[in-house]
Amino acid sequence: KIISLNGSFENYSGTSHIPNGWQAALFSTSDGKNTSVFQNGAASVRIANTSAVTKTLTQTLILSGASGNNFNFSFYVKGNALPATGACRGQVLLYNGSSLLTTKTLNCPTGTFAFQKLAFNFNAPGAFTKIVIRLTYARASGTVWFDNLVLNKAS
């Protein structure tokens, strides 16, 4: 069962460049909705930096589950001149109340590359009540595009 919301980054309210169901932090006016570069559909999310600013796109899901629940997390990423230093990643964080149980991370490649799929499976290490999905770009230069993000709960 897919539990992530608007992971295709197709739905936006009005003229907003921030996809519905997501919260952006430190985005500039050129970040967000991009309809000229995408993996599938009509849009992706573009994030660019000219200095090392930590930009994030976050989705919080209130969802309870048990230890051992199986998840699959994947997204497509494209990069233009991504330096090796700094963060570029997708993460899933599981919480039980306010206590962080685990953080699972997929790091982006460096350099310039076409869209590629990053994916992994994991099991919940304990009972959980909240899931946070976070995309981070904190490199001093370059541009990254994210598309087709899916968090699937198999059990």
Side-chain angles (χ1 to χ4, degrees), residues 74-143:
S74 66
F75 59 88
Y76 282 82
V77 61
K78 172 183 169 50
N80 182 35
L82 301 187
T85 304
C88 178
R89 62 185 174 225
Q91 295 178 298
V92 178
L93 299 87
L94 294 182
Y95 289 86
N96 188 345
S98 61
S99 298
L100 178 64
L101 293 176
T102 191
T103 301
K104 300 297 184 180
T105 302
L106 283 170
N107 290 308
C108 306
T110 60
T112 298
F113 53 91
F115 273 107
Q116 56 186 273
K117 185 176 184 177
L118 303 180
F120 64 79
N121 293 310
F122 68 97
N123 292 322
F128 59 91
T129 58
K130 178 173 72 171
I131 300 171
V132 175
I133 303 168
R134 181 180 305 135
L135 299 173
T136 302
Y137 192 68
R139 294 186 176 166
S141 60
T143 304

Side-chain angles (χ1 to χ4, degrees), residues 142-153:
T143 304
V144 67
W145 291 264
F146 294 101
D147 205 353
N148 294 331
L149 180 145
V150 174
L151 178 63
N152 184 47
K153 182 174 177 264

Side-chain angles (χ1 to χ4, degrees), residues 25-88:
L26 300 179
F27 271 38
S28 70
T29 56
S30 63
D31 294 324
K33 183 180 183 179
N34 187 279
T35 57
S36 60
V37 175
F38 48 84
Q39 165 63 23
N40 194 19
S44 67
V45 168
R46 173 190 181 275
I47 307 172
N49 266 345
T50 55
S51 63
V53 175
T54 300
K55 298 179 179 185
T56 60
L57 195 62
T58 305
Q59 183 173 108
T60 301
L61 304 165
I62 304 304
L63 179 74
S64 296
S67 178
N69 281 169
N70 182 259
F71 292 91
N72 176 268
F73 178 57
S74 66
F75 59 88
Y76 282 82
V77 61
K78 172 183 169 50
N80 182 35
L82 301 187
T85 304
C88 178

